[in-house]
Amino acid sequence: MALVPCQVLRAAILLSYCSILCNYKAIDMPAHQTYGGSWKFLTFIDLVIQAVFFGICVLTDLSSLLTKGNDSQEQERQLKKLISLRDWVMAVLAFPVGVFVVTLFWSIYIYDRELVYPKVLDNFIPAWLNHGMYSNYCQLTPNNLILGVPFLGMLLGPKSGVLPLVEIKES
């Protein structure tokens, strides 16, 4: 069985988020030593959510590759549960929190950098890590949506199309 590009992409995204998390945790910042540590920052929580989501995606891909060709009803049932968990995490946590964090950060950053990311933090957080925390989401998650996590179907039901939220009733 050959790997599909979206499966390779998800594995690469998972490794990317894990490396960003490891580098972020390795930074010795005074704010990490206070109450709550890194968990008080929505950015860090978003990074963990994205890493968990892509971990579930990789697990789903591996499970689907390993169960192909088997006629076991139990394996199919477990795979469907894993896929619905993946879609739920994307629809409820990964997508909304990621969009909120990225949109809010870059909007405030453009308005006044000192409000959200003071120049003092440049001594602690390198520029590549800052872009990894805030720009990775903009590039990677839309690619994942295009390549195959149909979470909108779970939210909207059987409707599909360009404007699935708009329903025109005929009188």
Side-chain angles (χ1 to χ4, degrees):
M1 291 178 215
L3 289 176
V4 184
C6 73
Q7 295 163 335
V8 175
L9 175 69
R10 288 180 187 152
I13 292 171
L14 175 63
L15 291 174
S16 169
Y17 276 114
C18 288
S19 69
I20 290 170
L21 277 170
C22 289
N23 283 306
Y24 183 76
K25 289 302 287 180
I27 295 173
D28 186 29
M29 276 181 38
H32 292 179
Q33 312 305 324
T34 60
Y35 180 76
S38 299
W39 290 98
K40 66 181 165 228
F41 301 116
L42 188 58
T43 298
F44 180 75
I45 295 171
D46 180 45
L47 286 172
V48 171
I49 289 171
Q50 297 300 324
V52 167
F53 168 70
F54 283 106
I56 293 171
C57 284
V58 169
L59 183 63
T60 304
D61 292 338
L62 288 175
S63 297
S64 65
L65 285 174
L66 294 175
T67 58
K68 272 204 167 132
N70 292 348
D71 294 331
S72 173
Q73 295 292 333
E74 180 63 25
Q75 287 179 346
E76 288 295 323
R77 191 174 62 79
Q78 294 296 329
L79 183 60
K80 285 182 182 179
K81 282 184 181 179
L82 197 56
I83 290 171
S84 63
L85 173 68
R86 177 198 67 192
D87 292 346
W88 182 85
V89 169
M90 179 64 170
V92 175
L93 293 172
F95 188 74
V97 173
V99 168
F100 177 75
V101 167
V102 169
T103 305
L104 192 67
F105 175 81
W106 286 115
S107 299
I108 295 173
Y109 189 91
I110 289 169
Y111 177 72
D112 184 10
R113 175 190 172 157
E114 292 296 317
L115 289 175
V116 72
Y117 189 73
K119 289 189 187 262
V120 174
L121 287 179
D122 288 338
N123 299 331
F124 299 103
I125 302 174
W128 69 268
L129 187 57
N130 180 41
H131 279 286
M133 290 189 295
Y134 297 107
S135 302
N136 244 3
Y137 182 83
C138 296
Q139 301 159 5
L140 301 177
T141 301
N143 287 335
N144 190 45
L145 288 174
I146 291 167
L147 289 176
V149 177
F151 78 98
L152 289 176
M154 184 183 81
L155 289 176
L156 303 174
K159 296 177 186 177
S160 62
V162 177
L163 297 173
L165 293 174
V166 177
E167 183 175 338
I168 300 172
K169 293 185 177 183
E170 296 178 17
S171 312

